[in-house]
Amino acid sequence: MIQRNNSADGNGARARSAMSTLTNSQASDLGPTLSGQGRPDPAGIGKKTRTKVVAASFIGNFVEWFDYAVYGYLAVTITAVFFPDSDPATGLMLTFALFAISFLVRPLGGFVWGHLGDKIGRREALSWSILIMSAATFCIALIPSYNTIGIWAPILLLIIRVVQGFSASGEYAGASAFLVEYAPANRRGLYAAVVPASTATGLLLGSLLAALLTGMLEPEQMQSWGWRLPFLLAAPMGLIGRYIRTKLEDSPVFKELAKEDNAVKAPVSSLFKNHWRQLVQAVGAVLLNAVGFYLILSYMPTHLSQNIGLSETASYVATTVALATYIGFIFVVGMLSDRFGRKKVLMSASILFVVLTVPSFMLLETGNFLVVVLVQILLGAMLSLNDGTLPSFLAEMFPTRVRYSGFAVSFNLSNALFGGTAPFVATVLIASSGTDLAPGWYLMGAAVISLVAVAFSVETSKKPLS
């Protein structure tokens, strides 16, 4: 346990101890202000250091979600490449089943990366996770088609996506914890919003490339080589991200914890023993984000082209426009959560989804391009209220000694059960119910559960990092 001393001498000693762990340039910028619990206030960190932290956190999640975007947006083409003998509906379900199966390993990855991040440091864990993830994404582009090697094609795709799922499970949580621990106390929401903004930017580039490729290439060209091009980009982007991360130091609060030798030997065990209530609340709070993110920002182009009747290019363009506005919403929401609190913003998101999701899916059925774009912008704005607040909310829920583990386990468990399976569940629900509104009802149910979970949690925006 961390020893706490409220005396002036105790605080001064700890402040001097924290100062000694920083680089000379950082220490010169750092005043005597404390953020609570004897930890140094990260508001005094130099601008150059903070810029590097933001860049390092951005690029890893960008690469991760660029891959997921490409896979989701090119699902129809991937189905033709890896499941050519299946009828379109069955093949699409198999493609999304592979997408979902790769998420089943994410809780395991959350345990591993969370343990490493809390034990040896955020920087080291993030540096390895981006390397493994980008290498696996690059390998997808090298898999021969089903017509070339038969059943081994989808088997190899599954193996590589499992590796991706394992490595990616440390990205979102680690980057969020890193940013929150470096951010000024009154701007943690804004800084943490960089993480969902980076995921949306990855989705945006994936959507742009999908629209460009499907618009310029014939279906035969797409199935032969066009679909491979986006996955090849992962290698150089991943190497750049790893290089930036290796040049950083760990956050001041983690370095202080390590200096005091108070890091627990088994962070995940401590998490379940001492913080299980926060863990349950966190899993519930993530549920809306997990389902909403994949239905609205990943599955939607497939839904629009396969069920609503829009062309593939029009579906990608509509999603691209919505994503561009979504990125702007994210940063606004981050500032709102700093001003009004995490709970109010998260609960507002859940209430809006309960009320407006099904009517929004009804409007999508008109098939009118302008209506589709406006509805996607609306759904994106609603989701941004959740997505732009969740990273700071989850990071603040857990103390430094188990922050990475708590975030990684809760986020990846909810995403494994409900996020990665969302496109598959939506496809099955539509096929079994016969209505294109089924994904809307599913999303509304997720919003109800998240609303309850957040309502029973405590406000975290004004709490000092412990």
Side-chain angles (χ1 to χ4, degrees):
M1 296 293 292
I2 298 178
Q3 299 298 317
R4 299 173 181 174
N5 190 330
N6 293 326
S7 68
D9 291 341
N11 280 338
R14 280 192 297 275
R16 289 189 296 273
S17 175
M19 294 274 287
S20 67
T21 66
L22 301 174
T23 63
N24 291 334
S25 61
Q26 291 171 327
S28 65
D29 292 332
L30 185 61
T33 305
L34 298 180
S35 63
Q37 307 300 336
R39 304 241 180 271
D41 183 355
I45 291 175
K47 182 178 179 181
K48 184 178 179 180
T49 298
R50 185 172 289 119
T51 300
K52 288 182 179 179
V53 170
V54 170
S57 301
F58 183 95
I59 193 168
N61 283 278
F62 172 84
V63 174
E64 174 188 351
W65 297 101
F66 170 74
D67 162 67
Y68 283 113
V70 169
Y71 189 93
Y73 296 152
L74 298 182
V76 175
T77 300
I78 291 174
T79 297
V81 173
F82 290 95
F83 303 103
D85 295 337
S86 303
D87 65 85
T90 302
L92 192 61
M93 281 191 280
L94 290 172
T95 298
F96 282 130
L98 285 182
F99 185 85
I101 290 172
S102 69
F103 273 73
L104 297 180
V105 75
R106 291 190 69 147
L108 174 61
F111 287 120
V112 174
W113 293 113
H115 175 83
L116 292 175
D118 285 328
K119 193 67 177 174
I120 65 175
R122 284 76 161 110
R123 185 196 70 169
E124 197 70 20
L126 287 169
S127 296
W128 280 104
S129 68
I130 191 174
L131 183 64
I132 298 172
M133 180 181 60
S134 57
T137 302
F138 178 80
C139 287
I140 288 181
L142 308 180
I143 302 176
S145 67
Y146 182 91
N147 291 331
T148 302
I149 60 174
I151 191 64
W152 283 105
I155 291 176
L156 287 175
L157 179 61
L158 173 61
I159 293 173
I160 292 176
R161 289 208 64 84
V162 167
V163 174
Q164 279 182 314
F166 176 82
S167 58
S169 59
E171 272 296 324
Y172 199 98
S176 298
F178 210 43
L179 283 166
V180 164
E181 290 175 351
Y182 262 104
N186 63 340
R187 302 181 72 187
R188 294 196 297 248
L190 176 60
Y191 273 77
V194 168
V195 177
S198 68
T199 67
T201 305
L203 291 173
L204 177 60
L205 180 58
S207 179
L208 285 170
L209 280 179
L212 181 65
L213 289 171
T214 55
M216 294 181 60
L217 302 178
E218 297 296 327
E220 293 77 15
Q221 293 175 308
M222 279 295 296
Q223 294 175 23
S224 175
W225 54 270
W227 70 274
R228 302 178 186 273
L229 297 180
F231 294 103
L232 293 173
L233 295 175
M237 291 190 295
L239 290 175
I240 292 172
R242 176 172 169 79
Y243 175 79
I244 295 175
R245 288 178 176 182
T246 57
K247 299 302 179 181
L248 291 172
E249 295 186 13
D250 254 309
S251 68
V253 291
F254 180 81
K255 289 168 66 178
E256 176 68 7
L257 187 74
K259 186 177 180 63
E260 293 174 356
D261 197 27
N262 283 314
V264 296
K265 297 185 181 300
V268 175
S269 176
S270 175
L271 174 69
F272 281 93
K273 181 179 180 180
N274 302 316
H275 307 282
W276 63 269
R277 289 184 180 85
Q278 295 98 310
L279 186 62
V280 171
Q281 292 168 350
V283 170
V286 174
L287 182 57
L288 172 58
N289 182 269
V291 176
F293 189 91
Y294 289 100
L295 285 186
I296 296 172
L297 300 181
S298 181
Y299 169 74
M300 189 60 74
T302 301
H303 178 67
L304 294 175
S305 62
Q306 296 297 299
N307 303 316
I308 304 302
L310 264 65
S311 68
E312 287 188 11
T313 301
S315 300
Y316 295 138
V317 170
T319 301
T320 299
V321 172
L323 278 168
T325 60
Y326 180 79
I327 296 170
F329 290 145
I330 286 290
F331 288 108
V332 173
V333 170
M335 290 186 287
L336 289 175
S337 74
D338 281 329
R339 181 172 182 180
F340 298 106
R342 319 297 185 220
K343 283 188 66 173
K344 289 180 180 178
V345 179
L346 288 173
M347 292 178 70
S348 297
S350 294
I351 292 170
L352 286 173
F353 270 106
V354 171
V355 175
L356 297 179
T357 299
V358 174
S360 296
F361 272 78
M362 289 179 177
L363 289 173
L364 289 177
E365 290 195 303
T366 64
N368 181 282
F369 179 75
L370 180 59
V371 172
V372 168
V373 171
L374 292 176
V375 169
Q376 283 197 264
I377 291 175
L378 172 64
L379 290 171
M382 290 158 53
L383 182 62
S384 71
L385 289 172
N386 177 278
D387 204 18
T389 308
L390 197 63
S392 53
F393 175 75
L394 293 177
E396 292 165 346
M397 284 186 75
F398 302 97
T400 301
R401 62 173 69 84
V402 295
R403 179 167 295 122
Y404 202 141
S405 298
F407 196 133
V409 171
S410 60
F411 186 79
N412 287 293
L413 183 61
S414 196
N415 271 278
L417 295 176
F418 306 104
T421 60
F424 175 75
V425 170
T427 304
V428 171
L429 287 175
I430 291 173
S432 59
S433 67
T435 174
D436 294 336
L437 299 179
W441 290 106
Y442 183 51
L443 183 53
M444 189 179 76
V448 172
I449 296 175
S450 287
L451 178 61
V452 174
V454 173
F456 281 95
S457 66
V458 299
E459 177 57 53
T460 61
S461 61
K462 307 304 180 184
K463 291 174 55 180
L465 296 182
S466 58

